[in-house]
Coordinates of all heavy atoms in Angstrom, one line a residue:
M1 N -56.9 57.4 -148.7 CA -55.5 57.3 -148.9 C -54.9 56.2 -147.9 O -55.4 56.1 -146.8 CB -54.8 58.7 -148.6 CG -53.4 58.6 -148.7 SD -52.4 60.1 -148.7 CE -53.3 61.3 -147.9
K2 N -54.0 55.5 -148.4 CA -53.3 54.4 -147.7 C -52.5 55.0 -146.6 O -51.7 55.9 -146.8 CB -52.5 53.6 -148.6 CG -51.8 52.4 -148.0 CD -51.0 51.6 -149.0 CE -50.2 50.6 -148.2 NZ -49.3 49.9 -149.1
E3 N -52.6 54.4 -145.4 CA -51.7 54.8 -144.3 C -50.3 54.1 -144.4 O -50.3 52.9 -144.8 CB -52.3 54.4 -142.9 CG -53.5 55.3 -142.6 CD -54.0 55.0 -141.2 OE1 -54.1 53.8 -140.8 OE2 -54.3 55.9 -140.4
V4 N -49.3 54.9 -144.1 CA -47.9 54.3 -144.1 C -47.3 54.4 -142.8 O -47.3 55.5 -142.2 CB -47.1 55.1 -145.2 CG1 -45.6 54.6 -145.2 CG2 -47.7 55.0 -146.6
F5 N -46.9 53.3 -142.2 CA -46.3 53.3 -140.9 C -44.8 53.0 -141.1 O -44.4 52.2 -141.9 CB -46.9 52.2 -140.0 CG -48.3 52.4 -139.7 CD1 -49.3 52.0 -140.5 CD2 -48.6 53.2 -138.6 CE1 -50.7 52.2 -140.2 CE2 -50.0 53.5 -138.3 CZ -51.0 53.0 -139.1
Q6 N -44.0 53.7 -140.3 CA -42.5 53.6 -140.4 C -42.0 53.2 -139.0 O -42.3 53.9 -138.0 CB -41.9 54.9 -140.8 CG -42.3 55.5 -142.1 CD -41.7 54.7 -143.3 OE1 -40.7 54.0 -143.2 NE2 -42.4 54.8 -144.5
T7 N -41.2 52.2 -138.9 CA -40.5 51.8 -137.7 C -39.2 52.5 -137.7 O -38.4 52.4 -138.7 CB -40.4 50.3 -137.6 OG1 -41.7 49.7 -137.6 CG2 -39.7 49.9 -136.2
I8 N -38.9 53.2 -136.6 CA -37.6 53.9 -136.5 C -36.7 53.1 -135.6 O -37.1 52.7 -134.5 CB -37.8 55.3 -135.9 CG1 -38.9 56.1 -136.6 CG2 -36.5 56.1 -135.8 CD1 -38.8 56.3 -138.0
Y9 N -35.5 52.7 -136.1 CA -34.6 51.9 -135.4 C -33.4 52.7 -134.8 O -33.1 53.7 -135.4 CB -34.0 50.8 -136.3 CG -35.1 49.8 -136.8 CD1 -35.8 50.0 -137.9 CD2 -35.4 48.7 -136.0 CE1 -36.8 49.1 -138.3 CE2 -36.4 47.8 -136.3 CZ -37.1 48.0 -137.5 OH -38.1 47.1 -137.9
S10 N -32.8 52.1 -133.8 CA -31.6 52.8 -133.2 C -30.5 52.8 -134.2 O -30.2 51.8 -134.9 CB -31.2 52.0 -132.0 OG -30.0 52.5 -131.5
P11 N -29.7 53.9 -134.3 CA -28.6 53.9 -135.2 C -27.3 53.3 -134.6 O -26.3 53.3 -135.2 CB -28.4 55.4 -135.4 CG -28.9 56.0 -134.2 CD -30.0 55.2 -133.7
C12 N -27.4 53.0 -133.3 CA -26.1 52.6 -132.6 C -26.5 51.7 -131.3 O -27.6 51.6 -130.9 CB -25.4 53.8 -132.2 SG -26.3 54.9 -131.1
Y13 N -25.4 51.2 -130.7 CA -25.5 50.6 -129.4 C -25.5 51.7 -128.3 O -24.8 52.7 -128.5 CB -24.3 49.6 -129.2 CG -24.3 48.4 -130.0 CD1 -23.7 48.4 -131.3 CD2 -25.0 47.2 -129.6 CE1 -23.7 47.3 -132.1 CE2 -25.0 46.1 -130.4 CZ -24.4 46.1 -131.6 OH -24.4 45.0 -132.4
G14 N -26.2 51.5 -127.3 CA -26.2 52.4 -126.2 C -27.4 52.3 -125.3 O -28.0 51.2 -125.2
S15 N -27.8 53.3 -124.6 CA -29.0 53.3 -123.8 C -29.7 54.6 -124.0 O -29.2 55.7 -124.3 CB -28.6 53.1 -122.3 OG -27.9 54.2 -121.8
I16 N -31.0 54.6 -123.8 CA -31.9 55.7 -124.0 C -31.7 56.7 -122.9 O -31.8 56.3 -121.7 CB -33.4 55.3 -124.1 CG1 -33.6 54.3 -125.2 CG2 -34.3 56.6 -124.2 CD1 -33.3 54.8 -126.6
K17 N -31.2 57.9 -123.2 CA -31.0 58.9 -122.2 C -32.2 59.8 -122.0 O -32.6 60.0 -120.8 CB -29.8 59.8 -122.6 CG -29.4 60.7 -121.5 CD -28.1 61.4 -121.7 CE -27.7 62.2 -120.5 NZ -26.4 62.8 -120.7
E18 N -32.9 60.2 -123.1 CA -34.1 61.0 -123.0 C -35.0 60.7 -124.1 O -34.6 60.4 -125.2 CB -33.8 62.5 -123.0 CG -33.3 63.1 -121.7 CD -33.3 64.6 -121.7 OE1 -34.4 65.2 -121.8 OE2 -32.2 65.1 -121.7
V19 N -36.3 60.8 -123.8 CA -37.4 60.6 -124.8 C -38.1 61.9 -124.9 O -38.6 62.4 -123.9 CB -38.4 59.5 -124.5 CG1 -39.5 59.4 -125.5 CG2 -37.6 58.1 -124.4
Y20 N -38.1 62.6 -126.1 CA -38.7 63.9 -126.3 C -40.1 63.9 -126.8 O -40.8 64.9 -126.8 CB -37.8 64.7 -127.2 CG -36.4 65.0 -126.7 CD1 -35.3 64.5 -127.4 CD2 -36.2 65.7 -125.6 CE1 -34.1 64.7 -126.9 CE2 -34.9 66.0 -125.1 CZ -33.9 65.4 -125.8 OH -32.6 65.7 -125.3
V21 N -40.6 62.7 -127.2 CA -42.0 62.7 -127.8 C -42.8 61.6 -127.1 O -42.2 60.7 -126.5 CB -41.9 62.4 -129.3 CG1 -41.3 63.6 -130.1 CG2 -41.2 61.1 -129.7
Q22 N -44.1 61.7 -127.2 CA -45.0 60.8 -126.5 C -45.9 60.2 -127.6 O -46.1 60.8 -128.7 CB -45.8 61.5 -125.5 CG -45.0 62.1 -124.3 CD -44.1 61.1 -123.6 OE1 -44.5 60.0 -123.4 NE2 -42.9 61.5 -123.4
P23 N -46.5 59.0 -127.3 CA -47.5 58.5 -128.3 C -48.6 59.5 -128.6 O -49.0 60.3 -127.7 CB -48.0 57.3 -127.6 CG -46.9 56.9 -126.7 CD -46.3 58.1 -126.2
S24 N -49.0 59.5 -129.8 CA -50.0 60.4 -130.4 C -49.5 61.8 -130.7 O -50.2 62.6 -131.2 CB -51.3 60.5 -129.5 OG -51.2 61.3 -128.4
A25 N -48.3 62.1 -130.3 CA -47.7 63.5 -130.6 C -47.4 63.6 -132.1 O -47.1 62.6 -132.8 CB -46.4 63.7 -129.9
Y26 N -47.6 64.8 -132.7 CA -47.2 65.0 -134.1 C -45.8 65.5 -134.1 O -45.4 66.4 -133.3 CB -48.1 66.1 -134.7 CG -47.8 66.3 -136.1 CD1 -48.3 65.5 -137.1 CD2 -46.9 67.3 -136.5 CE1 -48.0 65.7 -138.5 CE2 -46.6 67.6 -137.8 CZ -47.1 66.7 -138.8 OH -46.8 66.9 -140.1
V27 N -44.9 65.0 -135.0 CA -43.6 65.4 -135.1 C -43.3 65.9 -136.5 O -43.8 65.4 -137.5 CB -42.5 64.3 -134.6 CG1 -42.7 64.0 -133.2 CG2 -42.7 63.1 -135.5
Y28 N -42.4 66.9 -136.6 CA -42.0 67.4 -137.9 C -40.7 66.8 -138.4 O -39.9 66.2 -137.6 CB -41.8 68.9 -137.7 CG -43.0 69.7 -137.4 CD1 -43.4 69.9 -136.1 CD2 -43.9 70.0 -138.4 CE1 -44.5 70.6 -135.8 CE2 -45.1 70.7 -138.1 CZ -45.4 71.0 -136.8 OH -46.6 71.6 -136.4
E29 N -40.4 66.9 -139.7 CA -39.2 66.3 -140.2 C -38.0 66.9 -139.4 O -37.9 68.0 -139.1 CB -39.0 66.8 -141.7 CG -39.9 66.1 -142.6 CD -39.6 66.6 -144.0 OE1 -38.8 66.0 -144.7 OE2 -40.3 67.6 -144.4
W30 N -37.1 66.0 -139.1 CA -35.8 66.3 -138.5 C -35.9 66.8 -137.0 O -35.0 67.3 -136.4 CB -34.9 67.2 -139.3 CG -34.8 66.7 -140.7 CD1 -35.2 67.3 -141.8 CD2 -34.2 65.5 -141.1 NE1 -34.9 66.5 -142.9 CE2 -34.3 65.4 -142.5 CE3 -33.6 64.4 -140.4 CZ2 -33.9 64.3 -143.2 CZ3 -33.2 63.3 -141.1 CH2 -33.3 63.3 -142.5
E31 N -37.1 66.7 -136.5 CA -37.3 67.0 -135.0 C -36.6 65.9 -134.2 O -36.8 64.7 -134.5 CB -38.8 67.1 -134.7 CG -39.1 67.4 -133.3 CD -40.6 67.5 -133.0 OE1 -41.4 67.7 -134.0 OE2 -41.0 67.5 -131.9
T32 N -36.0 66.2 -133.2 CA -35.3 65.2 -132.3 C -36.4 64.4 -131.6 O -37.2 65.0 -130.9 CB -34.3 65.9 -131.3 OG1 -33.3 66.6 -132.1 CG2 -33.6 64.8 -130.5
L33 N -36.3 63.1 -131.7 CA -37.2 62.2 -131.0 C -36.7 61.7 -129.7 O -37.4 61.6 -128.7 CB -37.6 61.0 -132.0 CG -38.0 61.4 -133.4 CD1 -38.2 60.1 -134.2 CD2 -39.3 62.2 -133.3
L34 N -35.4 61.3 -129.8 CA -34.8 60.6 -128.6 C -33.3 61.0 -128.5 O -32.7 61.5 -129.5 CB -34.8 59.1 -128.8 CG -36.1 58.4 -129.0 CD1 -36.0 57.4 -130.0 CD2 -36.6 57.8 -127.7
L35 N -32.7 60.8 -127.4 CA -31.3 61.0 -127.2 C -30.7 59.6 -126.7 O -31.2 59.1 -125.7 CB -31.1 62.1 -126.1 CG -29.6 62.5 -125.9 CD1 -29.0 63.1 -127.2 CD2 -29.6 63.5 -124.8
I36 N -29.7 59.1 -127.4 CA -29.1 57.9 -127.0 C -27.7 58.2 -126.5 O -26.9 59.0 -127.1 CB -29.0 56.9 -128.2 CG1 -30.4 56.5 -128.6 CG2 -28.2 55.6 -127.8 CD1 -30.5 55.7 -129.9
E37 N -27.3 57.6 -125.4 CA -25.9 57.7 -124.9 C -25.2 56.4 -125.3 O -25.7 55.3 -124.9 CB -25.9 57.9 -123.4 CG -24.5 58.1 -122.9 CD -24.5 58.4 -121.4 OE1 -24.7 57.5 -120.6 OE2 -24.2 59.6 -121.1
T38 N -24.1 56.5 -126.1 CA -23.4 55.3 -126.5 C -22.5 54.8 -125.4 O -22.4 55.4 -124.3 CB -22.5 55.7 -127.7 OG1 -21.5 56.6 -127.3 CG2 -23.3 56.2 -128.9
Q39 N -22.0 53.6 -125.7 CA -21.1 53.0 -124.6 C -19.9 53.8 -124.3 O -19.4 53.7 -123.2 CB -20.7 51.6 -125.1 CG -22.0 50.7 -125.2 CD -21.7 49.4 -126.0 OE1 -20.8 49.3 -126.8 NE2 -22.5 48.4 -125.7
D40 N -19.4 54.6 -125.2 CA -18.3 55.5 -125.0 C -18.7 56.9 -124.6 O -18.0 57.9 -124.7 CB -17.3 55.5 -126.1 CG -17.9 56.0 -127.4 OD1 -19.2 56.1 -127.5 OD2 -17.2 56.2 -128.4
K41 N -20.0 57.0 -124.1 CA -20.5 58.3 -123.5 C -20.8 59.4 -124.5 O -20.9 60.6 -124.1 CB -19.6 58.8 -122.3 CG -19.4 57.8 -121.2 CD -20.7 57.4 -120.6 CE -20.5 56.4 -119.5 NZ -21.7 55.8 -119.0
K42 N -20.9 59.1 -125.8 CA -21.3 60.1 -126.7 C -22.8 60.2 -126.8 O -23.5 59.2 -126.5 CB -20.8 59.8 -128.1 CG -19.3 59.9 -128.3 CD -18.8 59.6 -129.7 CE -17.3 59.6 -129.8 NZ -16.8 59.2 -131.1
E43 N -23.3 61.4 -127.0 CA -24.8 61.5 -127.1 C -25.2 61.6 -128.6 O -24.7 62.5 -129.3 CB -25.3 62.7 -126.3 CG -25.1 62.5 -124.8 CD -25.6 63.7 -124.0 OE1 -25.9 64.8 -124.6 OE2 -25.7 63.6 -122.8
I44 N -26.1 60.8 -129.0 CA -26.6 60.7 -130.4 C -28.1 61.2 -130.4 O -28.9 60.5 -129.7 CB -26.5 59.3 -130.9 CG1 -25.1 58.7 -130.8 CG2 -27.0 59.2 -132.4 CD1 -24.1 59.5 -131.6
E45 N -28.4 62.2 -131.1 CA -29.8 62.6 -131.3 C -30.4 61.9 -132.4 O -29.8 61.7 -133.5 CB -29.9 64.1 -131.6 CG -29.5 65.0 -130.4 CD -29.7 66.5 -130.8 OE1 -29.9 66.9 -131.9 OE2 -29.6 67.3 -129.8
V46 N -31.6 61.3 -132.2 CA -32.3 60.5 -133.2 C -33.4 61.4 -133.8 O -34.3 61.9 -133.1 CB -32.9 59.2 -132.6 CG1 -33.6 58.5 -133.7 CG2 -31.8 58.4 -132.0
S47 N -33.3 61.6 -135.1 CA -34.4 62.3 -135.8 C -34.5 61.6 -137.2 O -33.7 60.9 -137.6 CB -34.0 63.8 -136.0 OG -32.8 63.9 -136.7
V48 N -35.7 61.9 -137.8 CA -35.9 61.2 -139.1 C -36.5 62.3 -140.1 O -37.0 63.3 -139.7 CB -36.9 60.1 -139.0 CG1 -36.3 58.9 -138.2 CG2 -38.2 60.5 -138.3
G49 N -36.4 61.9 -141.4 CA -36.8 62.9 -142.4 C -38.2 62.7 -142.9 O -38.5 62.9 -144.0
I50 N -39.1 62.4 -141.9 CA -40.5 62.3 -142.2 C -41.2 63.0 -141.1 O -40.7 63.2 -140.0 CB -41.0 60.9 -142.3 CG1 -40.8 60.1 -141.0 CG2 -40.4 60.1 -143.5 CD1 -41.5 58.7 -141.0
S51 N -42.4 63.4 -141.4 CA -43.3 64.0 -140.4 C -44.5 63.1 -140.2 O -44.9 62.4 -141.1 CB -43.7 65.5 -140.8 OG -44.3 65.5 -142.0
G52 N -45.2 63.2 -139.1 CA -46.4 62.4 -138.8 C -46.6 62.2 -137.3 O -46.0 62.9 -136.5
D53 N -47.5 61.3 -137.0 CA -47.9 61.0 -135.7 C -47.1 59.8 -135.1 O -46.9 58.8 -135.8 CB -49.4 60.6 -135.6 CG -50.3 61.8 -136.1 OD1 -50.1 62.9 -135.5 OD2 -51.1 61.6 -137.0
I54 N -46.7 59.9 -133.8 CA -46.1 58.8 -133.1 C -47.2 57.9 -132.7 O -48.2 58.2 -132.1 CB -45.4 59.3 -131.8 CG1 -44.3 60.3 -132.2 CG2 -44.9 58.1 -131.0 CD1 -43.2 59.8 -132.9
V55 N -47.1 56.6 -133.2 CA -48.1 55.6 -132.9 C -47.8 54.9 -131.6 O -48.7 54.7 -130.8 CB -48.2 54.6 -134.1 CG1 -49.2 53.4 -133.7 CG2 -48.6 55.3 -135.4
S56 N -46.5 54.6 -131.4 CA -46.1 54.0 -130.2 C -44.6 54.2 -129.9 O -43.8 54.4 -130.8 CB -46.4 52.5 -130.2 OG -45.5 51.8 -131.1
M57 N -44.3 54.3 -128.6 CA -42.9 54.3 -128.2 C -42.5 52.9 -127.8 O -43.2 52.3 -127.0 CB -42.7 55.3 -127.1 CG -42.9 56.8 -127.4 SD -41.8 57.3 -128.8 CE -40.2 57.1 -128.1
E58 N -41.4 52.4 -128.3 CA -41.0 51.0 -128.0 C -39.9 51.0 -126.9 O -39.5 49.9 -126.6 CB -40.5 50.4 -129.3 CG -41.6 50.4 -130.4 CD -42.8 49.6 -130.1 OE1 -42.7 48.5 -129.6 OE2 -43.9 50.1 -130.3
V59 N -39.4 52.1 -126.5 CA -38.3 52.2 -125.5 C -38.7 53.2 -124.4 O -39.5 54.1 -124.6 CB -37.0 52.6 -126.2 CG1 -36.5 51.5 -127.1 CG2 -37.1 53.9 -126.9
A60 N -37.9 53.2 -123.4 CA -38.0 54.1 -122.2 C -36.6 54.5 -121.8 O -35.7 53.8 -122.0 CB -38.8 53.4 -121.1
P61 N -36.5 55.6 -121.1 CA -35.2 56.1 -120.6 C -34.6 54.9 -119.7 O -35.2 54.2 -119.0 CB -35.6 57.3 -119.7 CG -36.8 57.8 -120.3 CD -37.6 56.6 -120.7
G62 N -33.2 54.8 -120.0 CA -32.5 53.8 -119.3 C -32.4 52.4 -120.0 O -31.6 51.6 -119.7
Q63 N -33.2 52.2 -121.0 CA -33.3 51.0 -121.7 C -32.1 50.9 -122.7 O -31.8 51.8 -123.4 CB -34.6 50.9 -122.5 CG -34.8 49.5 -123.2 CD -36.1 49.4 -123.8 OE1 -37.1 50.1 -123.4 NE2 -36.3 48.6 -124.8
A64 N -31.5 49.7 -122.7 CA -30.4 49.4 -123.6 C -30.9 49.2 -125.0 O -32.0 48.6 -125.2 CB -29.6 48.2 -123.1
V65 N -30.2 49.7 -126.0 CA -30.6 49.5 -127.4 C -29.4 49.0 -128.3 O -28.3 49.2 -127.9 CB -31.2 50.8 -128.0 CG1 -32.5 51.1 -127.3 CG2 -30.2 51.9 -128.0
T66 N -29.7 48.4 -129.4 CA -28.8 48.0 -130.4 C -29.2 48.5 -131.7 O -30.4 49.0 -131.8 CB -28.7 46.4 -130.5 OG1 -29.9 45.9 -131.1 CG2 -28.5 45.8 -129.1
P67 N -28.4 48.4 -132.8 CA -28.9 48.8 -134.1 C -30.1 48.1 -134.6 O -30.7 48.5 -135.6 CB -27.7 48.6 -135.0 CG -26.5 48.7 -134.1 CD -27.0 48.1 -132.8
F68 N -30.5 47.0 -134.0 CA -31.7 46.3 -134.4 C -33.0 46.6 -133.5 O -34.0 46.1 -133.7 CB -31.5 44.8 -134.3 CG -30.3 44.4 -135.1 CD1 -29.1 44.1 -134.5 CD2 -30.4 44.3 -136.5 CE1 -28.0 43.7 -135.3 CE2 -29.3 43.9 -137.3 CZ -28.1 43.7 -136.7
S69 N -32.8 47.5 -132.5 CA -33.9 47.9 -131.6 C -34.8 48.9 -132.3 O -34.4 49.9 -132.7 CB -33.3 48.5 -130.3 OG -32.5 47.6 -129.7
A70 N -36.1 48.6 -132.2 CA -37.1 49.5 -132.7 C -37.3 50.6 -131.6 O -37.4 50.2 -130.4 CB -38.5 48.8 -132.9
L71 N -37.3 51.8 -132.0 CA -37.4 52.9 -131.0 C -38.9 53.4 -130.9 O -39.4 53.7 -129.9 CB -36.5 54.1 -131.4 CG -35.0 53.7 -131.5 CD1 -34.2 55.0 -132.0 CD2 -34.5 53.3 -130.1
T72 N -39.4 53.6 -132.1 CA -40.8 54.2 -132.2 C -41.4 53.7 -133.5 O -40.7 53.4 -134.5 CB -40.8 55.7 -132.0 OG1 -42.1 56.2 -132.0 CG2 -40.0 56.4 -133.2
I73 N -42.7 53.8 -133.6 CA -43.5 53.6 -134.8 C -44.2 54.9 -135.1 O -44.9 55.4 -134.2 CB -44.4 52.4 -134.7 CG1 -43.6 51.1 -134.4 CG2 -45.3 52.3 -136.0 CD1 -44.5 49.9 -134.1
M74 N -44.1 55.4 -136.4 CA -44.7 56.6 -136.8 C -45.7 56.3 -137.9 O -45.4 55.5 -138.7 CB -43.6 57.6 -137.3 CG -42.8 58.2 -136.2 SD -41.6 59.4 -136.9 CE -42.7 60.7 -137.6
R75 N -46.7 57.1 -138.0 CA -47.6 57.2 -139.1 C -47.2 58.3 -140.0 O -47.4 59.5 -139.6 CB -49.1 57.3 -138.7 CG -50.1 57.3 -139.8 CD -51.5 57.5 -139.4 NE -52.0 56.6 -138.4 CZ -52.3 56.8 -137.2 NH1 -52.2 58.0 -136.7 NH2 -52.7 55.9 -136.4
D76 N -46.7 58.1 -141.1 CA -46.2 59.1 -142.0 C -47.3 59.9 -142.6 O -48.3 59.3 -143.1 CB -45.4 58.4 -143.2 CG -44.6 59.4 -144.0 OD1 -44.9 60.6 -144.1 OD2 -43.6 58.9 -144.6
D77 N -47.3 61.2 -142.5 CA -48.4 62.0 -143.0 C -48.2 62.2 -144.5 O -49.1 62.9 -145.2 CB -48.5 63.3 -142.3 CG -47.3 64.3 -142.5 OD1 -46.4 64.0 -143.3 OD2 -47.3 65.3 -141.9
L78 N -47.1 61.7 -145.1 CA -46.9 61.8 -146.6 C -46.9 63.2 -147.2 O -47.1 63.4 -148.3 CB -48.0 60.9 -147.3 CG -48.0 59.5 -146.9 CD1 -49.2 58.8 -147.6 CD2 -46.7 58.7 -147.1
Q79 N -46.5 64.2 -146.3 CA -46.4 65.6 -146.8 C -45.0 65.8 -147.3 O -44.0 65.5 -146.6 CB -46.7 66.5 -145.6 CG -48.1 66.4 -145.1 CD -49.1 66.8 -146.1 OE1 -49.0 67.8 -146.8 NE2 -50.2 66.0 -146.2
I80 N -44.9 66.3 -148.5 CA -43.6 66.7 -149.0 C -43.4 68.2 -148.8 O -44.1 69.0 -149.2 CB -43.5 66.4 -150.5 CG1 -43.8 64.9 -150.8 CG2 -42.2 66.8 -151.1 CD1 -44.0 64.5 -152.2
T81 N -42.3 68.4 -148.0 CA -42.1 69.8 -147.5 C -41.0 70.5 -148.3 O -40.9 71.7 -148.2 CB -41.8 69.9 -146.0 OG1 -40.6 69.2 -145.8 CG2 -43.0 69.3 -145.2
G82 N -40.1 69.8 -148.9 CA -39.0 70.4 -149.6 C -37.9 70.9 -148.6 O -37.1 71.7 -149.0
S83 N -37.9 70.4 -147.4 CA -36.9 70.9 -146.4 C -35.7 69.9 -146.4 O -35.0 69.9 -145.4 CB -37.5 71.0 -145.1 OG -38.0 69.8 -144.6
D84 N -35.5 69.1 -147.4 CA -34.4 68.1 -147.4 C -33.1 68.8 -147.4 O -32.4 69.3 -147.9 CB -34.6 67.1 -148.5 CG -35.7 66.2 -148.3 OD1 -36.2 66.0 -147.2 OD2 -36.2 65.6 -149.3

């Protein structure tokens, strides 16, 4: 089966407040991956609608991000769970 990699990008401007996952960790759909603090001090939880393995983390706590910043790369396990 073909491997599918997904790059997860920041949804906003801000800085990384917390990272909840590590490389090689398995994550489930809608599991919180990171917490971003925006410039106006709001906290944004980053989660995605896919499950799979974290291939790499592209950011660290304290790092500034923009909507063009890659946060992590995931290997999609291509499992359809019906939890949409």
Side-chain angles (χ1 to χ4, degrees):
M1 178 172 19
K2 181 181 175 185
E3 288 187 316
V4 176
F5 294 91
Q6 302 285 341
T7 302
I8 311 305
Y9 293 94
S10 174
C12 59
Y13 290 91
S15 64
I16 303 299
K17 186 166 183 178
E18 279 192 68
V19 176
Y20 297 116
V21 294
Q22 301 301 318
S24 78
Y26 182 85
V27 295
Y28 296 94
E29 287 180 88
W30 308 117
E31 181 177 344
T32 302
L33 307 175
L34 303 137
L35 186 64
I36 297 175
E37 184 174 73
T38 64
Q39 295 168 336
D40 57 352
K41 302 299 180 192
K42 292 182 182 174
E43 292 183 347
I44 306 294
E45 290 184 350
V46 177
S47 60
V48 292
I50 62 173
S51 56
D53 298 305
I54 300 294
V55 175
S56 68
M57 290 303 300
E58 304 296 313
V59 293
Q63 184 174 338
V65 294
T66 71
F68 304 102
S69 299
L71 302 175
T72 186
I73 299 173
M74 287 182 63
R75 180 183 303 112
D76 191 336
D77 67 6
L78 303 175
Q79 297 297 312
I80 299 172
T81 63
S83 63
D84 291 339

